[in-house]
Amino acid sequence: MKLHSQFLKLHSHYGQAAEISVTLDELALVLNCTHRNVLHIINKMVEQAWITWTPRRGRGHRSMMEFLVPSEEIALQSMMQAISRQDIQHAIEGIKTHARSSALQDTLQGWLLTYFGHHSEMRSDKQIDTLRLPITQQLHSFDPLYMNLLAESFIASHVFDGLVARRGEEDKIIPGLAHAWEVDESRTVWTFFLRKEVLFHHGKVLVAEDVVYSFQRLILTSQRTLYSFISKEIQEVSALGHSVVRIQLKQPNELFLPFLCTSRAAIVPRELEGMSELSFGRRPLGTGPFKVVEMNEDTCVLEVFPYYFQGRAHLDRVEVIYVPWDIEAASADNGAAFHVIQNPSSADPSSWSRIHSASSIRKFVTCNTKKKGPLSDPFLRAKIISCLQEESISIIEFEKVAEQPFSLQIATIPQYAGDADYIAAALARHGYACKIVTVSPEEFKGSIRLESDFIVFSLFRDQDEQLRLFDLYLTLAQHIEPHTRMDIESRLKRIAREPDPQARAAGFKQIECRLTSEHHLHILYEKPTQTAYLPSVRGVTFNSQGWVDLRHVWFPPLL
């Protein structure tokens, strides 16, 4: 493997010439090794028939070297060896470094198909099924308090359970860890009855005190968490014996039960008090169908939890591997896999089966009108936003008014950098200079939004959409002038008390219409999520987030 890298380094340095006149000292400098070692390396490359070497001795004489094979062939050999050793990160780095042509990248990615996807082996007369999935988001934590990415939430949905859950793509809430629940007439006191003998991954039985601890941890955290507008409404959580939990809200909120279906409301064991939050985030303990057995910067390994209270998963092992490249089949917002692919490209072979989930991704940009600047002027804000329209007809409707030169700042996270670039380019074509500031998801929750003119957001439209919209509009209200902010917050209060989901949806639509008509919000685009899978994959269903539910995936037995 090292010899391959040394050849590629030489080829990169000298590869433009058919024949190279060079000294051993010069080669030693390029390869960063001694005179003696470089001669050994040259001899090994000659033995491999990669180069010819014609030495010339004597002061002032230069030897001749000629490359006999293209660098792409050596890069392919190197990647194949890395894949055979399961050194996937080395293979990926090699593809990024050496795949200068799309044809070579396709070839190298094709070799990765031999690693990713479904693999079976027989152990003690049992078929062990492993599914290897590449994702384009690096995993950091599965702790419900610290998750920031959809990929982390995807893993967490297979590791943890909540009190209640959603059924597939139906908008129906079903029992989870609680087999039944009640609510009083005021709709502020909720009582949950827990299943018996549910096990955590470390063998402890779930009891009411675990649920109390999970919610108290959520209520007391200083961490900025998604849907915190719900957890802040919880006044008290108490255990009524070992199998009954009572949660009292400060005021009625019809989004409370849907919130309990999300990964933020996952139930963790109370023994977490003796663990560091960092270690728990990387080796979480839940009650879900899979348990985390390995977690590092590049790889997360899940193994089946055979005692899962809703039935054992068909897969025995799932390996989720970070793939840091941009490929058409991958997306910054959804993981990508080869046997089960989220958002596949149109170039995929016709042999793939395709299925749509009921989820989509909406990208949009919002204006910070609390910041003193050009966007606080309604007329100028409308003119600038019109530059982002697909048709430029609306732009000429504005009277030409002398404008002082100014620069607009766009804030976003790395996953949306491409959208920020598009906005900056579109505005630049109309004479508006932009500066893009890209920060981590955690930093994005802070003051950077109030310091910027434009903020690039994303909305994942799944069964949790109403929770996401409520959280989104609360956030937007923080950087909108007081009059509009008061109206939005008033509408949100009415939505929270509305028991009819369709009426709530109509209320959210009214907020969107006001924000777009006043040019506080501009939708860039929306695209549905789609999954492609090989015919050998069975049991493809979706969870509430539009992800493939790994618990139901299975493959025909080896015959």
Side-chain angles (χ1 to χ4, degrees), residues 489-516:
E489 291 178 343
S490 176
R491 291 175 186 267
L492 289 176
K493 287 181 181 178
R494 292 196 295 271
I495 288 173
R497 287 167 173 73
E498 174 55 61
D500 182 3
Q502 293 185 348
R504 292 199 299 266
F508 284 123
K509 189 63 178 178
Q510 291 173 357
I511 294 176
E512 178 186 310
C513 291
R514 170 154 191 182
L515 291 173
T516 53

Side-chain angles (χ1 to χ4, degrees), residues 140-147 151-166 175-178 198-202 206 210-211 213-214 217 260-272 275-292 295 300 302-303 305 308-310 543-545 549 551:
H140 301 285
S141 175
F142 305 127
D143 189 324
L145 294 186
Y146 294 95
M147 294 185 298
E152 294 169 344
S153 184
F154 166 64
I155 300 294
S157 70
H158 292 88
V159 174
F160 297 104
D161 290 293
L163 292 174
V164 293
R166 291 189 186 272
L177 293 174
V198 173
L199 293 178
F200 283 103
H201 295 156
H202 61 331
L206 168 77
D210 296 303
V211 179
Y213 171 74
S214 299
R217 182 172 181 258
L260 297 185
C261 301
T262 70
S263 57
R264 297 293 171 176
I267 303 305
V268 302
R270 62 190 184 282
E271 286 86 357
L272 174 57
M275 299 174 60
S276 71
E277 291 183 328
L278 177 61
S279 62
F280 181 76
R282 301 181 77 83
R283 286 294 182 88
L285 296 170
T287 59
F290 293 93
K291 57 183 179 181
V292 177
M295 171 70 174
C300 172
L302 307 176
E303 286 186 356
F305 183 52
Y308 185 52
F309 69 94
Q310 297 195 66
N543 62 19
S544 63
Q545 294 177 313
D549 191 337
R551 187 167 75 92

Side-chain angles (χ1 to χ4, degrees), residues 20 27 67-69 72 91 102 124 177 209 251 274 412 446 478:
I20 302 99
L27 294 179
F67 293 105
L68 300 179
V69 294
E72 288 79 6
S102 59
S124 303
L177 293 174
E209 285 78 6
Q251 54 190 344
T412 191
Q478 296 175 11

Side-chain angles (χ1 to χ4, degrees), residues 125-191:
D125 295 328
K126 292 183 180 180
Q127 177 174 323
I128 305 300
D129 290 300
T130 298
L131 183 63
R132 297 186 180 123
L133 302 176
I135 59 171
T136 57
Q137 291 181 344
Q138 191 167 23
L139 303 172
H140 301 285
S141 175
F142 305 127
D143 189 324
L145 294 186
Y146 294 95
M147 294 185 298
N148 286 312
L149 303 175
L150 284 173
E152 294 169 344
S153 184
F154 166 64
I155 300 294
S157 70
H158 292 88
V159 174
F160 297 104
D161 290 293
L163 292 174
V164 293
R166 291 189 186 272
R167 174 179 291 162
E169 295 185 2
E170 302 173 17
D171 191 18
K172 182 179 180 181
I173 295 177
I174 61 174
L177 293 174
H179 67 84
W181 60 90
E182 298 173 350
V183 61
D184 72 344
E185 292 184 359
S186 70
R187 298 193 69 79
T188 60
V189 180
W190 295 76
T191 305

Side-chain angles (χ1 to χ4, degrees), residues 44 46 53 57 63 68 105 127 176 186 207 221 233 261 274 299 313 384 425 442 449 473 483-484 507 523 548 556:
K44 290 182 68 174
V46 170
W53 176 256
R57 303 183 182 279
S63 299
L68 300 179
Q105 189 171 75
Q127 177 174 323
S186 70
V207 293
T221 183
E233 291 294 317
C261 301
T299 305
I384 294 173
E442 195 60 39
R449 291 182 287 109
Y473 292 142
H483 179 69
T484 303
I523 299 172
V548 171

Side-chain angles (χ1 to χ4, degrees), residues 1 78-93 112 115 298:
M1 182 66 69
S78 177
M79 298 310 100
M80 290 166 55
Q81 289 185 15
I83 293 166
S84 66
R85 298 198 325 271
Q86 299 187 1
D87 186 359
I88 300 305
Q89 290 308 310
H90 182 94
I92 290 168
E93 287 302 317
L112 280 178
Y115 183 81
D298 303 315

Side-chain angles (χ1 to χ4, degrees), residues 55-118:
R56 293 182 181 176
R57 303 183 182 279
R59 184 179 297 274
H61 292 121
R62 302 175 66 83
S63 299
M64 302 302 295
M65 181 175 67
E66 181 181 2
F67 293 105
L68 300 179
V69 294
S71 61
E72 288 79 6
E73 181 178 331
I74 301 303
L76 180 58
Q77 291 181 21
S78 177
M79 298 310 100
M80 290 166 55
Q81 289 185 15
I83 293 166
S84 66
R85 298 198 325 271
Q86 299 187 1
D87 186 359
I88 300 305
Q89 290 308 310
H90 182 94
I92 290 168
E93 287 302 317
I95 292 174
K96 291 169 63 179
T97 303
H98 305 298
R100 298 181 179 86
S101 68
S102 59
L104 177 60
Q105 189 171 75
D106 290 343
T107 301
L108 295 177
Q109 290 179 22
W111 275 99
L112 280 178
L113 284 171
T114 64
Y115 183 81
F116 290 116
H118 171 239

